[in-house]
């Protein structure tokens, strides 16, 4: 009996060990669903309005294809050109597989499509039943051509594999006149028995491609025109899959060829796909969680994945890139596109620095290079948020760059008229930016977006002041900190809203705080959505509302006052009352209750967003708004993990209740930050940092430098 008991005990120990080993071997890449964000958002109860006929909401706009983190190449199917990321889940026809992407109606360069007996028809029906994807991989069966397509990629190269059912008359279409950006010219030529090379104007991108067989001929139609295309006819006789390896460059064909030789060379499809999977697995494994549902894990890692697709690499393996003056230069850092700063400075740029500080460092050096060539650090769309993105990284310890030189250019951004900040002269002189008196303004009215600019410049001034302070520039520090209070100059105490002003200082009349504008008074927002934005001075903002009670009452109304379904601004969508999760301007607002000691109210709103506005719709593949280069995704990542960079410039994080029982975050210093929330409750009643009870709801970035433990107790 003792022997039997001992044997059973040993078997139990082995079984438990095997179970733990199995759990440990679960690949985090398997949680990533690259199709999330590709499906349309149609529910008017979520959107806030009925979609007008012929409209598709600007939600998601993500791509399902293959990419490495922050790569030059994003190899993805195109179902409709000019449609954001080019791929819309509800479509049934693929027109090509393009090599660059972002999700902003540009890129989608060098579309390639295998053909078999096309009969003049370019584009094939496909079914989601015969389609699959994972980080660094995409596969689909083209019904009309009877070709199975598999795609993978490196940083600068794409790898296509086509399995033709019919090995006779195999063709490959290059839709050279097509891309989401405007193609103004193109050329292509054969380069040997198995290679082609060329150029596509607009984004000005070069390529060099080889196939694993002989090219019989290259047909070119309407050379250089938008209507034009080229068809590669493959020689008959060979069997097995056709492989097309393509290198890209924004410098030259020679560089594209070198990129291909260095990154793919003679490696097989399986090898390249394995390397891509391992790259993503390494990145995703920086954050490991216990607890939560399978869907929550899927959303977490899918959002984490999407947070690392942009900005995109633009330098070649030899270090060359085209600078802001379009000159070919060489440097010892990787050159990247500018971040989508209006969106991503809020959270994504912080996440990028926490997990891949080398990329963040090179992005800053790239922005500095633009500043050296143009006189100004680049901005994106609205505001001057390079100040926040750079200051936030610098204050978090990413400082191996020319901070003094970068600071001097940022000072130019903040002070020189006609440069990075539109209307900055008026902003400095008056303390606000006015808007004209328009009799009947509508959503599309063109103006200055003066309220939004004033609020955002004030925050940018605060951000730049933090660099000034660290560098010991007391004069500019005090000037910028004074200017950081300019947000108060557009607060109307009578209506208790941030409100537009005329040049003479009068408030704009009539005034409807619920009506959204694209750039009249507000940028893609209404008065409700911008009136809680002063992340650098929440005590000052609360005081404007008459203190905690008045602020709470107004904030309550933001989330409860019903949205008017007649007010339609296409990307002001997905409403909780007047709050808009589908666009960025009010993304800090759900956390604001914490500043008046009511974190439980914040948690209810945050939980509603996490549980109801991500991975939604019939297929669970819709997002509540445009992912905007990963900002929407990064919002989820931080909020699901219980930390949020409320003021992205400042090296601290507001604590909320995570969705998971335990989070182990491997920091970029090699230390471990552990966050635990053992209870099922969602209301925080105590926070311990390294065993000590915290008096507030913020933790310091020092925990990411040194490691540590955050224990969250809930009720």
């Amino acid at each position: 009996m003792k022997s039997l008991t001992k044997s059973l005990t040993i078997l139990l120990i082995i079984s438990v060990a095997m179970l733990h080993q199995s759990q440990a071997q679960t690949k985090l890449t398997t949680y990533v669903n690259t199709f999330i964000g590709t499906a349309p958002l149609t529910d008017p109860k979520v959107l806030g309005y009925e979609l007008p006929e012929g409209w598709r909401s600007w939600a998601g706009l993500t791509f399902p294809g293959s990419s490495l983190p922050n790569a030059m190449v994003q190899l993805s199917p195109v179902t409709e050109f000019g449609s954001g990321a080019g791929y819309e889940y509800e479509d049934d026809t693929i027109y090509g597989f393009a090599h660059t992407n972002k999700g902003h109606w540009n890129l989608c360069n060098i579309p390639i499509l295998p053909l078999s007996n096309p009969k003049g028809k370019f584009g094939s029906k496909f079914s989601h039943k015969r389609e699959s994807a994972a980080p660094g991989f995409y596969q689909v069966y083209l019904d009309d051509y009877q070709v199975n397509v598999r795609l993978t990629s490196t940083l600068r190269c794409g790898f296509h594999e086509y399995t033709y059912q019919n090995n006779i008359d195999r063709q490959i279409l290059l839709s050279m006149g097509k891309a989401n950006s405007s193609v103004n010219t193109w050329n292509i030529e054969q380069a040997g028995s198995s290679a082609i090379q060329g150029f596509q104007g607009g984004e000005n991108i070069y390529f060099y491609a080889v196939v694993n067989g002989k090219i019989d001929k290259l047909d070119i139609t309407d050379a250089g025109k938008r209507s034009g295309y080229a068809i590669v006819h493959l020689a008959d006789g060979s069997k097995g899959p056709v492989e097309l390896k393509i290198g890209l460059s924004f410098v030259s064909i020679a560089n594209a060829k070198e990129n291909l030789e260095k990154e793919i060379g003679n490696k097989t499809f399986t090898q390249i796909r394995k390397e891509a999977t391992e790259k993503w697995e390494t990145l995703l494994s920086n954050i490991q969680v216990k607890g939560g549902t399978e869907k929550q894990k899927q959303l977490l890692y899918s959002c984490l994945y999407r947070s690392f697709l942009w900005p995109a690499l633009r330098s070649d393996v030899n270090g060359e890139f085209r600078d802001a003056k379009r000159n070919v230069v060489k440097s010892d850092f990787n050159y990247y596109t500018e971040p989508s700063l209006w969106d991503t400075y809020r959270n994504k740029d912080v996440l990028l620095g926490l997990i891949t500080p080398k990329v963040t460092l090179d992005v800053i050096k790239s922005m500095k290079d633009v500043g050296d060539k143009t006189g100004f650090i680049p901005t994106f769309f609205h505001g001057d948020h390079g100040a926040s993105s750079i200051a936030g990284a610098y204050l978090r310890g990413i400082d191996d760059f020319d901070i003094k030189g970068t600071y001097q250019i940022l000072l130019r951004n903040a002070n020189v008229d006609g440069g990075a900040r539109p209307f900055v002269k008026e902003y400095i002189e008056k303390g606000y930016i006015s808007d004209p008196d328009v009799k009947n303004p509508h959503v599309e009215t063109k103006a200055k977006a003066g309220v939004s600019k004033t609020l955002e410049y004030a925050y940018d001034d605060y951000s730049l002041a933090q660099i000034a302070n660290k560098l010991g520039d007391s004069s500019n520090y005090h000037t910028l900190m004074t200017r950081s209070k300019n947000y108060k100059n557009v607060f109307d105490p009578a209506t208790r809203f941030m409100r537009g002003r005329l040049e003479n200082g009068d408030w704009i009349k009539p005034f409807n705080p619920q009506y959204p504008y694209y750039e009249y008074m507000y940028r893609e927002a209404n008065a409700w959505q911008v009136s809680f934005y002063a992340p650098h001075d929440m005590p000052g903002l609360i005081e404007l509302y008459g203190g905690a009670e008045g602020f709470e009452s107004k904030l309550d109304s933001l989330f409860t006052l019903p949205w008017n379904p007649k007010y339609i601004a296409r990307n002001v969508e997905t409403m909780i009352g007047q709050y808009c999760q589908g666009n960025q301007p009010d993304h800090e607002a759900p956390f604001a209750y914490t500043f008046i000691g009511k974190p439980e109210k914040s948690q209810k709103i945050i939980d509603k967003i996490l549980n109801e506005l991500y991975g939604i719709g019939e297929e669970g593949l819709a997002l509540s708004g445009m992912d905007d280069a990963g900002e929407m995704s990064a919002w989820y990542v931080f909020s699901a993990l219980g930390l949020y960079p409320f003021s992205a410039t400042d090296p601290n994080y507001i604590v909320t209740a995570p969705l998971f029982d335990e989070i182990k975050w491997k920091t970029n210093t090699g230390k471990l930050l552990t966050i635990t929330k053992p209870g099922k409750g969602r209301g925080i009643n105590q926070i311990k940092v390294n065993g000590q009870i915290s008096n507030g709801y913020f933790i310091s970035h020092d925990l990411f430098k040194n490691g540590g433990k955050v224990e969250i107790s809930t009720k």
Side-chain angles (χ1 to χ4, degrees), residues 66-75 99-100 152-159 205-208 245-251 255-264 272 312-321 331 333-336 362:
S66 175
S67 178
L68 290 189
N70 302 105
M72 181 184 294
V73 166
Q74 300 90 21
L75 180 49
H99 293 79
T100 60
T152 188
S153 58
T154 65
L155 284 174
R156 302 170 180 88
C157 305
F159 199 142
I205 188 168
Y206 301 84
F207 71 91
Y208 181 88
K245 306 173 184 180
I246 181 169
L248 265 58
S249 169
F250 287 81
V251 173
N255 279 15
K257 183 178 182 181
E258 184 180 5
N259 289 342
L260 181 60
E261 291 170 346
K262 294 286 179 61
E263 291 189 353
I264 294 183
I272 297 299
L313 181 66
R314 285 295 179 263
S315 55
D316 294 320
V317 291
N318 63 9
E320 290 183 346
F321 59 89
S331 185
F333 63 90
N334 280 326
Y335 189 76
Y336 287 91
D362 284 351

Side-chain angles (χ1 to χ4, degrees), residues 650-675:
D650 296 307
N652 55 36
Y653 310 86
I654 197 168
V655 178
T656 59
L659 294 178
F660 306 97
D661 301 334
E662 181 183 79
I663 298 144
K664 288 188 179 295
W665 190 320
K666 185 171 65 178
T667 76
N668 59 43
T669 61
K671 304 295 176 61
L672 188 66
L673 171 60
T674 302
I675 304 167

